[in-house]
Amino acid sequence: MNKPKLTIIEPFGYCEGVNFIISQLKQFKNDNDSFYIIDDLIHNNFFKEEIFDLNLIKVNTVNDIPANSTIIWPGHGHTIEEEKLANDLHLKQIDCTCPYLKGLFNRINNSKDKFIYYGKPEHRESKTFLSFDNVEPFDETNSVNEGLLINQSTIVPNYNNDILRRYKIINTTCPKVLERIKKFSEALNSNCFAIVCGHNNSSNCRTLFDVACNKIGKEKAALIESASDLDNLNLTNCLEIVLVSATSVPNKIVEQIINKIKSL
């Protein structure tokens, strides 16, 4: 059997937002104190290896954190109410919000315009946006054409939908996410098998997987977390493998997958 052609979508591995989190936490790598989090810093199981064995304690709400402790805000933001509670408890706050998102949050929150938000309701980013007074959730049953339509930064809404076209659309998908989606989509073809590397909880990862399923079919696409998952795939008679990683996947994981594919 001939080896399949391997097409790697670059860049792969962490995006600038994840690297920012790592740089923020690096200064505390020798600190023995406890750090509280209210959500995963990013959506990837392997990320724990990158945060220097910090003593992280996950709680449900800010109210569960003892006064005068330290909280690390997750990469996808935090609500106005959560920040107020943190201030009331005199918490030391380490802000790991993605720089792109932080700029977007500030822009929207300080605007006099009204915004309609399209995204997954339980996502941390969605909760942050919807804590602003001038942002309301998208409701497909609402026929009123008011407000500027913005979207979750890790998804690409279907703008061909007539309902969405009622609004003036501001594309707030992260440019780095869009770059990978565009390159991935362009590389897919009828002769290839698509492999998306990432965690199933990652919206960015699910978006990439949906792109593959919609373009070449679900039977010719797979979502994996590590090189060992390749053992579960039938790549016999595969002419080409197109590999893409979500923006929250460590470089070394992608490199392990690449090396294993090359050894097939």
Side-chain angles (χ1 to χ4, degrees):
M1 182 183 72
N2 293 328
K3 285 182 176 292
K5 173 186 176 183
L6 176 58
T7 300
I8 304 167
I9 304 303
E10 296 181 343
F12 59 76
Y14 288 150
C15 64
E16 287 87 342
V18 179
N19 284 325
F20 172 75
I21 295 176
I22 295 172
S23 67
Q24 284 289 86
L25 299 182
K26 191 174 184 178
Q27 59 187 307
F28 303 102
K29 65 179 180 179
N30 297 319
D31 200 320
N32 294 321
D33 291 342
S34 296
F35 299 86
Y36 290 86
I37 58 175
I38 55 173
D39 208 338
D40 294 333
L41 297 179
I42 66 166
H43 296 143
N44 190 283
N45 286 341
F46 295 101
F47 185 68
K48 293 178 182 178
E49 300 175 12
E50 306 283 354
I51 51 179
F52 319 106
D53 295 322
L54 295 181
N55 182 24
L56 299 182
I57 301 174
K58 191 173 183 179
V59 295
N60 293 323
T61 69
V62 176
N63 272 329
D64 296 325
I65 302 174
N68 301 304
S69 300
T70 301
I71 185 171
I72 302 175
W73 295 122
H76 291 286
H78 57 278
T79 68
I80 291 176
E81 293 81 3
E82 288 167 339
E83 184 165 332
K84 183 179 184 303
L85 283 172
N87 291 333
D88 291 343
L89 290 169
H90 305 288
L91 300 182
K92 179 181 178 181
Q93 301 173 46
I94 303 173
D95 192 358
C96 286
T97 305
C98 163
Y100 170 76
L101 272 180
K102 189 167 186 177
L104 197 56
F105 290 149
N106 290 335
R107 172 187 167 193
I108 300 301
N109 191 32
N110 294 325
S111 174
K112 295 180 180 180
D113 291 319
K114 175 184 174 181
F115 296 89
I116 307 297
Y117 177 79
Y118 184 94
K120 298 179 179 179
E122 296 306 312
H123 196 278
R124 166 58 52 182
E125 179 184 328
S126 303
K127 293 177 180 179
T128 303
F129 271 119
L130 294 173
S131 72
F132 303 154
D133 291 336
N134 60 337
V135 180
E136 296 180 3
F138 173 77
D139 181 359
E140 63 182 23
T141 65
N142 186 355
S143 60
V144 179
N145 184 13
E146 292 183 0
L148 304 172
L149 187 62
I150 59 176
N151 60 273
Q152 187 177 320
S153 67
T154 52
I155 67 174
V156 180
N158 181 9
Y159 289 145
N160 293 323
N161 190 311
D162 289 338
I163 296 174
L164 295 181
R165 288 196 176 278
R166 295 196 204 123
Y167 301 91
K168 180 178 179 182
I169 296 169
I170 299 178
N171 189 344
T172 48
T173 303
C174 171
K176 298 300 182 182
V177 170
L178 277 176
E179 178 185 18
R180 293 198 193 192
I181 291 172
K182 182 175 183 293
K183 288 183 177 180
F184 183 47
S185 180
E186 290 174 348
L188 296 173
N189 61 79
S190 59
N191 293 320
C192 77
F193 187 91
I195 296 179
V196 178
C197 176
H199 193 273
N200 194 46
N201 288 342
S202 164
S203 293
N204 171 219
C205 186
R206 296 300 310 180
T207 297
L208 288 165
F209 184 65
D210 288 343
V211 167
C213 292
N214 292 333
K215 188 161 185 179
I216 61 175
K218 191 173 183 178
E219 70 283 354
K220 299 178 69 176
L223 194 163
I224 67 173
E225 286 191 43
S226 65
S228 62
D229 292 331
L230 289 169
D231 296 335
N232 301 321
L233 303 181
N234 182 7
L235 301 176
T236 305
N237 300 323
C238 180
L239 299 178
E240 179 182 5
I241 295 173
V242 179
L243 175 67
V244 67
S245 79
T247 54
S248 57
V249 180
N251 281 32
K252 64 181 180 181
I253 298 298
V254 183
E255 289 165 355
Q256 289 169 4
I257 293 172
I258 292 172
N259 290 335
K260 187 159 185 176
I261 291 175
K262 288 181 177 179
S263 70
L264 294 176

